């Protein structure tokens, strides 16, 4: 199905979306359809900016995210080739829900994409694409890629003051104390009643990002605790409050690469998209596809 204007759709839950390009419907058995949006690259990038940044506005922010999204696509454009399409519309790739219904916002999104048309981030030492990871907020300090993924010279540990004083800089969560210490004790194969262990896990102090919680020659990644207890980030400290552990953390996401709220703050302060990208992917170079 193709049309001169973006194709308007409404899903079973009443969610309305508009898709540029062409929609192809592929039968999956007798009761389902796979819908594939065939769309020009920059129109796709505009849709990714819309979905990934949501309420955060700013031309330079959007231009930075456009370059990040385009670089990711260039490096991963055959990720789902076996399934008959290039990339998915969810977090397995980049979130893409077509274009917004607001025509003014749509115009600005498309302008941000086409004003950076073809620009991608390449490694300083090779012609390989930078792994353009991003997250919501770093909490004030970026994490090196090697703590979660493979090492990269452009995804490093460094201060990120732009991510301070943002909506998602700080968070608090309460967790059952017995579940918290029990999980660590089982992981390390020790007794959860050990007083030294309990002090170590109930009084974590992490003024700067660390990869591991260490105790008595044993280690557990802060990432593991984050994933087990659905915490916003792996940068947190703890204190015991009765039968609960109060977990106080900083940032939202893995903390590697572009902090979307930090980039938003940079744009508010007058930084251009090139400066934003240099801050979050230091040493990477911009080239046209």
């Amino acid at each position: 199905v193709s049309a001169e204007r973006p194709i308007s759709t409404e899903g079973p839950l009443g969610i309305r979306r508009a898709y540029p390009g062409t929609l192809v419907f592929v039968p999956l058995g007798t009761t389902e359809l796979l819908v594939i949006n065939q769309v020009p690259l920059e129109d796709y990038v505009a849709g990714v900016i819309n979905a990934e940044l949501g309420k955060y506005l700013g031309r330079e922010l959007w231009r930075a995210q456009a370059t990040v999204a385009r670089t990711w696509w260039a490096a991963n454009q055959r990720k789902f080739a076996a399934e008959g399409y290039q990339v998915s519309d969810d977090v397995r790739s980049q979130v893409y829900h077509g274009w917004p219904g607001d025509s003014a916002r749509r115009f600005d999104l498309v302008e941000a994409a086409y004003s950076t048309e073809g620009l991608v981030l390449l490694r300083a030492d090779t012609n390989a694409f930078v792994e353009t990871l991003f997250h919501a907020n770093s909490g004030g300090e970026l994490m090196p890629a090697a703590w979660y993924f493979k090492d990269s010279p452009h995804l490093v540990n460094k201060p990120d003051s732009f991510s301070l004083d943002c909506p998602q800089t700080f968070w608090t969560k309460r967790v059952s104390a017995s579940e918290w210490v029990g999980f660590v004790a089982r992981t390390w194969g020790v007794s959860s009643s050990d007083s030294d262990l309990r002090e170590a896990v109930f009084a974590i102090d992490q003024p700067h990002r660390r990869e591991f919680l260490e105790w008595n020659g044993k280690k557990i990644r802060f990432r593991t605790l984050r994933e087990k207890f659905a915490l916003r980030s792996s940068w947190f400290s703890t204190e015991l409050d009765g039968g609960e552990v109060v977990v106080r953390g900083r940032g939202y996401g893995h903390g590697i690469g572009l902090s979307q709220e930090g980039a938003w703050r940079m744009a508010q302060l007058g930084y251009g998209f090139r400066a934003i990208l240099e801050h979050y992917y230091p040493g990477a170079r911009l080239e046209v596809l």
Side-chain angles (χ1 to χ4, degrees), residues 50-153:
N50 182 56
E52 291 286 2
L53 284 173
K55 66 181 180 180
Y56 294 104
L57 308 177
R59 183 173 187 262
E60 297 306 305
L61 166 65
W62 285 2
R63 295 173 83 191
Q65 185 74 54
T67 307
V68 166
R70 189 182 300 108
T71 304
W72 187 93
W73 174 85
N76 296 276
Q77 60 183 286
R78 294 190 56 79
K79 187 174 182 179
F80 290 91
E83 282 78 8
Y85 52 93
Q86 290 183 306
V87 294
S88 67
D89 65 354
D90 56 20
V91 295
R92 294 173 297 163
S93 297
Q94 302 179 109
V95 181
Y96 169 78
H97 295 153
W99 284 356
D102 181 337
S103 60
R105 179 180 173 90
R106 181 188 305 175
F107 178 88
D108 290 342
L109 287 164
V110 172
E111 191 279 333
Y114 278 91
S115 69
T116 59
E117 184 173 3
L119 281 179
V120 293
L121 285 164
L122 299 181
R123 291 176 58 124
D125 54 345
T126 70
N127 286 325
F129 296 108
V130 171
E131 190 170 4
T132 46
L133 299 171
F134 58 90
H135 57 282
N137 186 298
S138 72
E141 183 180 346
L142 297 170
M143 180 186 290
W147 288 8
Y148 255 62
F149 310 104
K150 61 183 179 181
D151 191 25
S152 169

Side-chain angles (χ1 to χ4, degrees), residues 214-231:
E214 301 183 44
W215 173 78
N216 201 24
K218 301 179 183 296
K219 293 182 178 181
I220 186 171
R221 280 188 165 86
F222 282 106
R223 169 188 179 180
T224 302
L225 291 168
R226 177 200 173 193
E227 293 170 350
K228 168 64 179 177
F229 294 99
L231 305 177

